[in-house]
Amino acid sequence: DISQEFSFVEWGVNFRAEKQGKEPRYASLAWLRQLQEEIDRRQQTGKFAPIHFAAHLGGEYCVDVLKGDTSLVRTLWEDYGFLRIHLCPTRSHGVNSSQLKKYMSTLKSVIVALPQVEFVMLVTRETRALTFQLMNDCQPNLAFFYDAEEAAASGGSPSRGNSSGSQPRRPPPCPHPGIHCGYGGGLTIENLTDELR
């Protein structure tokens, strides 16, 4: 219902093998199948705007994509309608980030092989060795996401709950033409309706 009223809303689903279907925000593939069936049913009954989904990959799922495996992304796109894939190769998302740069060519092969999917790389201190290399030869279906919470932790003001109301310090936009980037911290369903008002 929210998606029908606000067509720009995108629903993020976390994917991490050891948590899938066991923890909140990590939907099982069976639940996603039921959701897709419900969407298909509603679309057949009349005018029903598309619903936008993004998969946030952590842990083994993220590492598999970094290593050049397209199978999960292809399944999420073809079978479940995910048009955007967020790659979160950080320790907090269950990925050893110490040598990310070595995945440059294999990750790029996945991005090139699936031009219909938009890939979004999380840019943090941990990921910059890889993300900055990707920016040097950016693909049209690749974007970069700067985490505002990390910016706040490194000296800016928190974006929510501060008395001054100031925004966190954010890195300047990328000066390279053709690089898409954005900023943000996690927006939960609890404060989504407040943001939309």
Side-chain angles (χ1 to χ4, degrees), residues 11 27 31-32 62 79 81 84 101 105 125 129 131 151 158 169 172-173 184:
W11 300 97
W31 186 89
L32 288 172
C62 184
D79 297 348
R84 195 185 316 246
K101 194 173 176 181
S105 63
R125 277 189 233 76
T131 54
R169 257 185 323 151

Side-chain angles (χ1 to χ4, degrees), residues 93-159:
H93 290 98
V95 175
N96 178 351
S97 59
S98 63
Q99 296 183 342
L100 290 178
K101 194 173 176 181
K102 71 180 181 183
Y103 297 117
M104 173 67 182
S105 63
T106 51
L107 173 58
K108 189 172 173 186
S109 72
V110 172
I111 294 167
V112 169
L114 296 165
Q116 65 279 28
V117 176
E118 182 180 17
F119 291 85
V120 179
M121 281 293 300
L122 179 63
V123 181
T124 67
R125 277 189 233 76
E126 286 182 69
T127 66
R128 65 181 158 201
L130 175 59
T131 54
F132 289 0
Q133 285 292 323
L134 288 166
M135 288 178 191
N136 287 331
D137 184 23
C138 197
Q139 300 302 305
N141 60 326
L142 176 61
F144 299 91
F145 181 79
Y146 289 89
D147 186 356
E149 292 172 2
E150 181 184 66
S154 66
S157 303
S159 59

Side-chain angles (χ1 to χ4, degrees), residues 64-80:
D64 288 345
V65 174
L66 293 173
K67 289 180 176 178
D69 186 351
T70 62
S71 58
L72 176 61
V73 175
R74 201 174 289 279
T75 297
L76 291 172
W77 170 63
E78 291 176 352
D79 297 348
Y80 300 96

Side-chain angles (χ1 to χ4, degrees), residues 13-32 61:
V13 178
N14 289 333
F15 286 86
R16 195 162 154 185
E18 69 273 16
K19 297 184 177 193
Q20 220 61 42
K22 299 172 188 160
E23 292 187 20
R25 298 176 24 179
Y26 293 88
S28 68
L29 292 181
W31 186 89
L32 288 172
Y61 292 147

